[in-house]
Amino acid sequence: MIALADIKVAGRSILLVAVIAVVGVLCVLLENSRADLAAVQSDNNVLRNDNSLQGQVIATQAFNFNLFNQVAEHTSSLNSLIDASTENTVIEYREILRREKTCNLPVPADVAGGLLEYTNSLRASAMHTDSGNADAAGSSSTSSSRLTYCQAVLWIKPLLAAIEKANNQLAGIREIERTRIGQTDAPFKR
């Protein structure tokens, strides 16, 4: 018959095998959890780097928007000053030309017609196409009055002012581009 001592030895052996099996299972689970932890930490680091880069992109965009607004405000201020100066100059020229006896002499028709054509082509190239307001037949009536020398003189200052305002806008665009190019790579350097 089986002795009590044999049962104790067998029980201890089974208990020892069970403990070893449990320890083995726990080791496997621990190793799997370490691998999962390493993967999660790696993903976490990637997300932190992505967030950092996104923060830099947002900061750069905010800087650019601010710069664009500042340049636009400065250009608008300059252009307002140009408009005021131009109006004063035109008023002054009108006073001077009012006393001129030759002021009402007409500009030769060929010259006036060429200026009108050039003006219309500039206007057409600057306007956005809108088929609802198209005048394809060119049936609009033209003024029967002729361009006088005084009118031509009065046009010069506003035309020069328009060129100066356009140059201010272009200078603003160039300034923005220089600034943007100068700081494009800076936030992304490592």
Side-chain angles (χ1 to χ4, degrees):
M1 173 164 193
I2 302 179
L4 184 61
D6 290 337
I7 294 177
K8 283 185 179 181
V9 172
R12 283 186 188 157
S13 297
I14 293 172
L15 185 60
L16 182 62
V17 169
V19 168
I20 290 174
V22 168
V23 169
V25 168
L26 288 176
C27 287
V28 169
L29 291 175
L30 179 63
E31 188 59 36
N32 285 342
S33 99
R34 275 187 175 176
D36 291 343
L37 179 63
V40 167
Q41 285 177 338
S42 174
D43 291 346
N44 202 4
N45 289 338
V46 168
L47 290 174
R48 277 194 190 112
N49 288 338
D50 286 348
N51 287 343
S52 175
L53 289 176
Q54 282 180 338
Q56 290 173 347
V57 167
I58 290 169
T60 300
Q61 288 175 342
F63 174 79
N64 285 339
F65 288 144
N66 188 25
L67 176 66
F68 295 168
N69 288 337
Q70 287 176 356
V71 169
E73 183 179 333
H74 178 69
T75 301
S76 178
S77 297
L78 283 177
N79 289 348
S80 294
L81 292 173
I82 291 168
D83 285 339
S85 171
T86 299
E87 287 178 30
N88 289 339
T89 304
V90 168
I91 291 169
E92 184 180 316
Y93 286 179
R94 279 190 183 131
E95 290 298 317
I96 293 169
L97 292 173
R98 191 176 55 159
R99 292 176 281 214
E100 287 295 320
K101 293 181 171 88
T102 60
C103 192
N104 291 327
L105 292 177
V107 172
D110 291 343
V111 173
L115 288 173
L116 181 62
E117 284 179 31
Y118 187 54
T119 301
N120 287 335
S121 71
L122 287 175
R123 185 178 296 131
S125 69
M127 300 299 284
H128 296 289
T129 58
D130 183 5
S131 59
N133 293 331
D135 186 12
S139 61
S140 64
S141 60
T142 56
S143 173
S144 61
S145 65
R146 297 182 63 174
L147 178 64
T148 64
Y149 283 104
C150 286
Q151 288 171 326
V153 168
L154 291 175
W155 283 1
I156 291 171
K157 183 64 177 178
L159 291 173
L160 291 174
I163 292 170
E164 185 177 2
K165 290 184 338 185
N167 285 341
N168 286 340
Q169 291 170 343
L170 292 172
I173 291 169
R174 283 191 295 272
E175 178 182 339
I176 288 169
E177 286 302 311
R178 271 194 309 271
T179 304
R180 238 176 33 99
I181 289 170
Q183 57 98 31
T184 298
D185 294 331
F188 301 107
K189 288 184 181 175
R190 294 180 185 181

Coordinates of all heavy atoms in Angstrom, one line a residue, residues 48-111:
R48 N 5.1 62.2 -29.4 CA 5.7 63.5 -28.8 C 6.5 64.3 -29.9 O 6.4 65.5 -29.9 CB 6.6 63.1 -27.7 CG 5.9 62.8 -26.4 CD 6.9 62.8 -25.2 NE 6.2 62.4 -24.0 CZ 6.5 61.2 -23.4 NH1 7.4 60.4 -23.9 NH2 5.8 60.9 -22.3
N49 N 7.3 63.6 -30.7 CA 8.0 64.2 -31.8 C 7.0 64.9 -32.8 O 7.3 66.0 -33.2 CB 9.0 63.3 -32.5 CG 10.1 62.9 -31.6 OD1 10.5 63.6 -30.7 ND2 10.8 61.8 -31.9
D50 N 6.0 64.1 -33.1 CA 5.0 64.7 -34.0 C 4.3 65.9 -33.5 O 4.2 66.9 -34.2 CB 3.9 63.7 -34.4 CG 4.4 62.6 -35.3 OD1 5.5 62.7 -35.9 OD2 3.7 61.6 -35.5
N51 N 4.0 65.9 -32.2 CA 3.4 67.0 -31.5 C 4.3 68.2 -31.5 O 3.9 69.4 -31.7 CB 2.9 66.7 -30.1 CG 1.7 65.8 -30.1 OD1 1.0 65.7 -31.1 ND2 1.4 65.2 -29.0
S52 N 5.6 68.0 -31.2 CA 6.6 69.0 -31.2 C 6.7 69.7 -32.6 O 6.7 70.9 -32.7 CB 7.9 68.5 -30.8 OG 8.9 69.4 -30.9
L53 N 6.7 68.9 -33.7 CA 6.8 69.4 -35.0 C 5.6 70.2 -35.4 O 5.6 71.2 -36.0 CB 7.1 68.3 -36.0 CG 8.5 67.6 -36.0 CD1 8.6 66.5 -36.9 CD2 9.5 68.7 -36.3
Q54 N 4.4 69.7 -35.0 CA 3.2 70.4 -35.3 C 3.1 71.7 -34.6 O 2.7 72.7 -35.1 CB 2.0 69.5 -34.9 CG 1.6 68.4 -35.8 CD 0.4 67.6 -35.4 OE1 0.1 67.6 -34.2 NE2 -0.3 67.0 -36.3
G55 N 3.6 71.7 -33.3 CA 3.7 73.0 -32.6 C 4.6 74.0 -33.3 O 4.3 75.2 -33.4
Q56 N 5.7 73.5 -33.9 CA 6.6 74.4 -34.6 C 6.0 74.9 -35.9 O 6.1 76.1 -36.2 CB 7.9 73.7 -34.9 CG 8.8 73.4 -33.7 CD 10.0 72.5 -34.0 OE1 10.1 72.0 -35.1 NE2 10.9 72.5 -33.1
V57 N 5.2 74.0 -36.6 CA 4.5 74.5 -37.8 C 3.5 75.5 -37.5 O 3.4 76.5 -38.2 CB 3.9 73.2 -38.5 CG1 2.9 73.7 -39.6 CG2 5.0 72.4 -39.1
I58 N 2.7 75.3 -36.4 CA 1.7 76.2 -36.0 C 2.3 77.6 -35.6 O 1.8 78.6 -36.0 CB 0.8 75.6 -34.9 CG1 0.0 74.5 -35.4 CG2 0.0 76.7 -34.2 CD1 -0.7 73.7 -34.4
A59 N 3.4 77.5 -34.9 CA 4.1 78.8 -34.5 C 4.6 79.5 -35.7 O 4.5 80.7 -35.8 CB 5.3 78.4 -33.6
T60 N 5.1 78.8 -36.7 CA 5.6 79.4 -38.0 C 4.4 80.0 -38.7 O 4.6 81.2 -39.2 CB 6.3 78.4 -38.8 OG1 7.4 77.8 -38.1 CG2 6.8 79.0 -40.1
Q61 N 3.3 79.3 -38.8 CA 2.2 79.9 -39.5 C 1.6 81.1 -38.8 O 1.3 82.1 -39.4 CB 1.1 78.8 -39.6 CG 1.4 77.7 -40.6 CD 0.3 76.7 -40.6 OE1 -0.5 76.5 -39.7 NE2 0.3 75.9 -41.7
A62 N 1.6 81.1 -37.4 CA 1.1 82.3 -36.7 C 2.1 83.4 -36.9 O 1.6 84.6 -37.1 CB 1.1 81.9 -35.2
F63 N 3.4 83.2 -37.0 CA 4.4 84.2 -37.2 C 4.1 84.8 -38.6 O 4.1 86.0 -38.8 CB 5.8 83.7 -37.1 CG 6.8 84.6 -37.6 CD1 7.2 85.7 -36.7 CD2 7.4 84.6 -38.8 CE1 8.2 86.6 -37.1 CE2 8.4 85.5 -39.2 CZ 8.8 86.5 -38.3
N64 N 3.9 83.9 -39.6 CA 3.7 84.4 -41.0 C 2.4 85.2 -41.1 O 2.4 86.3 -41.8 CB 3.6 83.2 -42.0 CG 5.0 82.6 -42.2 OD1 6.0 83.3 -42.1 ND2 5.1 81.4 -42.7
F65 N 1.3 84.8 -40.5 CA 0.1 85.5 -40.5 C 0.3 86.9 -39.9 O -0.2 87.9 -40.4 CB -1.0 84.8 -39.8 CG -1.6 83.6 -40.5 CD1 -2.0 82.5 -39.8 CD2 -1.7 83.6 -41.9 CE1 -2.5 81.4 -40.4 CE2 -2.2 82.5 -42.5 CZ -2.6 81.4 -41.8
N66 N 1.0 87.0 -38.8 CA 1.3 88.2 -38.1 C 2.1 89.1 -39.0 O 1.8 90.3 -39.1 CB 2.0 88.0 -36.8 CG 2.1 89.2 -36.0 OD1 1.4 90.2 -36.1 ND2 3.1 89.2 -35.1
L67 N 3.1 88.5 -39.6 CA 4.0 89.3 -40.5 C 3.2 89.8 -41.7 O 3.3 91.0 -42.1 CB 5.1 88.4 -41.0 CG 6.0 89.1 -42.1 CD1 6.8 90.2 -41.4 CD2 7.0 88.0 -42.6
F68 N 2.3 89.0 -42.3 CA 1.5 89.4 -43.4 C 0.6 90.6 -43.0 O 0.5 91.6 -43.8 CB 0.6 88.3 -44.0 CG 1.4 87.1 -44.6 CD1 0.8 85.9 -44.8 CD2 2.8 87.2 -44.8 CE1 1.5 84.9 -45.4 CE2 3.5 86.1 -45.4 CZ 2.8 85.0 -45.6
N69 N 0.0 90.5 -41.9 CA -0.9 91.5 -41.4 C -0.1 92.8 -41.2 O -0.6 93.9 -41.5 CB -1.6 91.1 -40.1 CG -2.7 90.1 -40.4 OD1 -3.2 89.9 -41.5 ND2 -3.0 89.3 -39.4
Q70 N 1.1 92.8 -40.6 CA 1.9 94.0 -40.3 C 2.3 94.6 -41.7 O 2.2 95.8 -41.8 CB 3.1 93.6 -39.5 CG 2.8 93.3 -38.1 CD 4.1 92.9 -37.3 OE1 5.2 92.7 -37.9 NE2 4.0 92.6 -36.0
V71 N 2.7 93.8 -42.6 CA 3.1 94.4 -43.9 C 1.9 95.0 -44.6 O 2.0 96.1 -45.2 CB 3.8 93.3 -44.8 CG1 4.0 93.8 -46.2 CG2 5.2 92.9 -44.1
A72 N 0.8 94.3 -44.6 CA -0.4 94.9 -45.2 C -0.8 96.2 -44.6 O -1.2 97.1 -45.3 CB -1.5 93.8 -45.2
E73 N -0.8 96.2 -43.3 CA -1.2 97.5 -42.6 C -0.2 98.6 -42.9 O -0.6 99.7 -43.2 CB -1.1 97.2 -41.1 CG -1.6 98.4 -40.2 CD -1.6 98.1 -38.7 OE1 -1.8 96.9 -38.4 OE2 -1.4 99.0 -38.0
H74 N 1.1 98.3 -42.9 CA 2.1 99.3 -43.3 C 1.9 99.8 -44.7 O 1.9 101.0 -45.0 CB 3.5 98.7 -43.1 CG 4.6 99.7 -43.5 ND1 4.9 100.8 -42.7 CD2 5.5 99.7 -44.5 CE1 5.9 101.4 -43.3 NE2 6.3 100.8 -44.4
T75 N 1.7 98.9 -45.6 CA 1.4 99.2 -47.0 C 0.2 100.1 -47.2 O 0.1 101.1 -47.9 CB 1.4 98.0 -47.9 OG1 2.6 97.2 -47.8 CG2 1.2 98.3 -49.4
S76 N -0.9 99.7 -46.5 CA -2.1 100.4 -46.5 C -1.9 101.9 -46.0 O -2.5 102.8 -46.6 CB -3.2 99.7 -45.7 OG -4.4 100.4 -45.7
S77 N -1.2 102.0 -44.9 CA -0.9 103.3 -44.4 C -0.1 104.2 -45.4 O -0.5 105.4 -45.6 CB -0.1 103.2 -43.1 OG -0.8 102.6 -42.1
L78 N 0.9 103.6 -46.0 CA 1.7 104.3 -47.0 C 0.8 104.7 -48.2 O 0.8 105.9 -48.7 CB 2.8 103.5 -47.5 CG 4.0 103.3 -46.7 CD1 5.1 102.4 -47.3 CD2 4.7 104.7 -46.4
N79 N -0.1 103.8 -48.6 CA -0.9 104.1 -49.8 C -2.0 105.2 -49.4 O -2.3 106.0 -50.3 CB -1.6 102.8 -50.3 CG -0.6 101.9 -51.0 OD1 0.5 102.3 -51.3 ND2 -1.0 100.7 -51.2
S80 N -2.4 105.2 -48.2 CA -3.3 106.3 -47.8 C -2.7 107.6 -47.8 O -3.3 108.6 -48.3 CB -3.9 106.0 -46.4 OG -4.7 104.9 -46.4
L81 N -1.4 107.7 -47.4 CA -0.6 108.9 -47.5 C -0.4 109.4 -48.9 O -0.5 110.5 -49.2 CB 0.7 108.8 -46.8 CG 0.7 108.6 -45.2 CD1 2.1 108.3 -44.7 CD2 0.1 109.8 -44.6
I82 N -0.2 108.4 -49.8 CA 0.0 108.7 -51.2 C -1.3 109.2 -51.8 O -1.3 110.2 -52.5 CB 0.5 107.4 -52.0 CG1 1.9 107.1 -51.6 CG2 0.4 107.6 -53.5 CD1 2.4 105.7 -52.0
D83 N -2.4 108.6 -51.4 CA -3.7 109.1 -51.9 C -4.0 110.6 -51.5 O -4.4 111.4 -52.3 CB -4.9 108.2 -51.5 CG -4.9 106.9 -52.2 OD1 -4.4 106.8 -53.3 OD2 -5.5 105.9 -51.6
A84 N -3.7 110.9 -50.2 CA -3.9 112.2 -49.7 C -3.0 113.2 -50.4 O -3.5 114.3 -50.8 CB -3.7 112.2 -48.2
S85 N -1.8 112.9 -50.6 CA -0.8 113.7 -51.3 C -1.3 114.0 -52.7 O -1.2 115.1 -53.3 CB 0.6 113.1 -51.2 OG 1.4 113.9 -52.1
T86 N -1.7 112.9 -53.4 CA -2.1 113.0 -54.8 C -3.3 113.9 -54.9 O -3.4 114.8 -55.8 CB -2.5 111.6 -55.3 OG1 -1.3 110.8 -55.2 CG2 -3.0 111.7 -56.8
E87 N -4.3 113.8 -54.0 CA -5.5 114.6 -54.1 C -5.1 116.1 -53.9 O -5.6 117.0 -54.6 CB -6.5 114.2 -53.0 CG -7.2 113.0 -53.3 CD -8.2 112.5 -52.2 OE1 -8.7 113.4 -51.5 OE2 -8.4 111.3 -52.0
N88 N -4.2 116.4 -53.0 CA -3.8 117.8 -52.8 C -3.1 118.3 -54.0 O -3.3 119.5 -54.4 CB -2.8 117.9 -51.5 CG -3.6 117.7 -50.2 OD1 -4.8 117.9 -50.2 ND2 -2.9 117.3 -49.2
T89 N -2.2 117.5 -54.6 CA -1.5 117.9 -55.8 C -2.4 118.2 -57.0 O -2.3 119.1 -57.7 CB -0.4 116.8 -56.2 OG1 0.4 116.6 -55.1 CG2 0.4 117.3 -57.4
V90 N -3.4 117.3 -57.1 CA -4.4 117.5 -58.2 C -5.2 118.8 -58.0 O -5.4 119.5 -59.0 CB -5.3 116.2 -58.4 CG1 -6.5 116.5 -59.3 CG2 -4.5 115.1 -58.9
I91 N -5.6 119.0 -56.8 CA -6.3 120.3 -56.5 C -5.4 121.5 -56.8 O -5.8 122.5 -57.5 CB -6.7 120.3 -55.0 CG1 -7.9 119.3 -54.8 CG2 -7.2 121.7 -54.6 CD1 -8.2 119.1 -53.3
E92 N -4.1 121.4 -56.5 CA -3.2 122.5 -56.7 C -3.0 122.7 -58.3 O -3.0 123.8 -58.8 CB -1.8 122.1 -56.1 CG -0.8 123.2 -56.2 CD 0.5 122.8 -55.5 OE1 0.4 122.2 -54.4 OE2 1.6 122.9 -56.1
Y93 N -2.9 121.6 -59.0 CA -2.7 121.6 -60.4 C -4.0 122.2 -61.1 O -3.9 123.0 -62.1 CB -2.5 120.2 -61.0 CG -1.1 119.7 -60.8 CD1 -0.8 118.4 -61.2 CD2 -0.1 120.4 -60.1 CE1 0.5 117.9 -61.0 CE2 1.1 119.8 -59.9 CZ 1.4 118.6 -60.4 OH 2.7 118.0 -60.2
R94 N -5.1 121.9 -60.6 CA -6.4 122.4 -61.2 C -6.4 124.0 -61.0 O -6.8 124.7 -61.9 CB -7.6 121.9 -60.5 CG -8.0 120.5 -61.0 CD -9.4 120.1 -60.5 NE -9.6 118.8 -60.9 CZ -10.1 117.8 -60.2 NH1 -10.2 117.9 -58.9 NH2 -10.3 116.6 -60.7
E95 N -6.0 124.4 -59.9 CA -5.9 125.9 -59.7 C -4.9 126.5 -60.6 O -5.2 127.6 -61.2 CB -5.5 126.2 -58.2 CG -6.6 125.8 -57.2 CD -7.8 126.6 -57.4 OE1 -7.8 127.9 -57.7 OE2 -8.9 126.0 -57.3
I96 N -3.8 125.9 -60.8 CA -2.8 126.4 -61.7 C -3.3 126.4 -63.2 O -3.2 127.4 -63.9 CB -1.5 125.7 -61.6 CG1 -0.8 125.9 -60.3 CG2 -0.5 126.1 -62.7 CD1 0.3 125.0 -60.0
L97 N -3.9 125.3 -63.6 CA -4.4 125.1 -65.0 C -5.6 125.9 -65.3 O -5.8 126.2 -66.4 CB -4.6 123.6 -65.2 CG -3.4 122.7 -65.2 CD1 -3.8 121.3 -65.3 CD2 -2.5 123.1 -66.4
R98 N -6.4 126.3 -64.3 CA -7.6 127.1 -64.5 C -7.2 128.4 -65.1 O -8.0 129.0 -65.9 CB -8.3 127.3 -63.2 CG -9.7 127.9 -63.3 CD -10.3 127.9 -62.0 NE -9.5 128.7 -61.1 CZ -9.9 129.3 -60.0 NH1 -11.1 129.2 -59.7 NH2 -9.0 129.9 -59.2
R99 N -6.0 128.9 -64.9 CA -5.6 130.2 -65.4 C -4.9 130.1 -66.8 O -4.6 131.1 -67.4 CB -4.6 130.9 -64.4 CG -5.3 131.3 -63.1 CD -4.3 131.8 -62.2 NE -3.7 130.6 -61.6 CZ -3.2 130.5 -60.4 NH1 -3.3 131.5 -59.6 NH2 -2.7 129.4 -59.9
E100 N -4.6 128.9 -67.2 CA -4.0 128.7 -68.5 C -5.0 128.9 -69.6 O -6.1 128.3 -69.6 CB -3.4 127.3 -68.6 CG -2.1 127.1 -67.7 CD -1.0 127.9 -68.2 OE1 -0.8 128.0 -69.4 OE2 -0.3 128.5 -67.3
K101 N -4.6 129.6 -70.6 CA -5.5 129.9 -71.8 C -5.5 128.7 -72.7 O -6.5 128.4 -73.4 CB -5.0 131.1 -72.5 CG -5.2 132.4 -71.7 CD -4.7 133.6 -72.5 CE -5.1 134.8 -71.8 NZ -4.3 135.4 -70.8
T102 N -4.4 127.9 -72.8 CA -4.3 126.7 -73.7 C -4.8 125.5 -73.1 O -4.7 124.4 -73.7 CB -2.9 126.5 -74.1 OG1 -2.1 126.3 -73.0 CG2 -2.4 127.7 -74.9
C103 N -5.4 125.6 -71.9 CA -5.8 124.4 -71.2 C -6.9 123.6 -71.9 O -6.9 122.3 -71.8 CB -6.4 124.8 -69.8 SG -6.6 123.5 -68.6
N104 N -7.8 124.2 -72.6 CA -8.9 123.5 -73.2 C -8.6 123.0 -74.6 O -9.4 122.5 -75.3 CB -10.1 124.3 -73.2 CG -10.7 124.5 -71.8 OD1 -10.5 123.6 -71.0 ND2 -11.2 125.7 -71.6
L105 N -7.3 123.1 -75.1 CA -7.0 122.6 -76.4 C -7.0 121.1 -76.4 O -6.5 120.4 -75.4 CB -5.5 123.0 -76.8 CG -5.4 124.5 -77.1 CD1 -3.9 124.8 -77.4 CD2 -6.3 125.0 -78.2
P106 N -7.6 120.5 -77.4 CA -7.7 119.0 -77.4 C -6.4 118.3 -77.7 O -5.6 118.8 -78.5 CB -8.8 118.7 -78.4 CG -8.7 119.9 -79.4 CD -8.3 121.1 -78.5
V107 N -6.2 117.2 -77.1 CA -5.0 116.3 -77.5 C -5.4 115.7 -78.9 O -6.6 115.4 -79.1 CB -4.9 115.2 -76.5 CG1 -3.8 114.2 -76.9 CG2 -4.5 115.8 -75.1
P108 N -4.4 115.6 -79.8 CA -4.7 115.0 -81.1 C -5.5 113.7 -81.0 O -5.3 112.9 -80.1 CB -3.4 114.8 -81.7 CG -2.5 115.8 -81.1 CD -3.0 115.9 -79.7
A109 N -6.5 113.5 -81.9 CA -7.4 112.3 -81.8 C -6.6 111.0 -81.8 O -7.0 110.0 -81.1 CB -8.4 112.4 -82.9
D110 N -5.6 110.9 -82.6 CA -4.8 109.6 -82.6 C -4.2 109.3 -81.2 O -4.2 108.2 -80.8 CB -3.7 109.7 -83.6 CG -4.2 109.7 -85.1 OD1 -5.4 109.3 -85.2 OD2 -3.5 110.0 -86.0
V111 N -3.6 110.3 -80.6 CA -3.0 110.1 -79.3 C -4.1 109.8 -78.2 O -4.0 108.8 -77.5 CB -2.3 111.4 -78.8 CG1 -1.8 111.3 -77.4 CG2 -1.1 111.6 -79.8

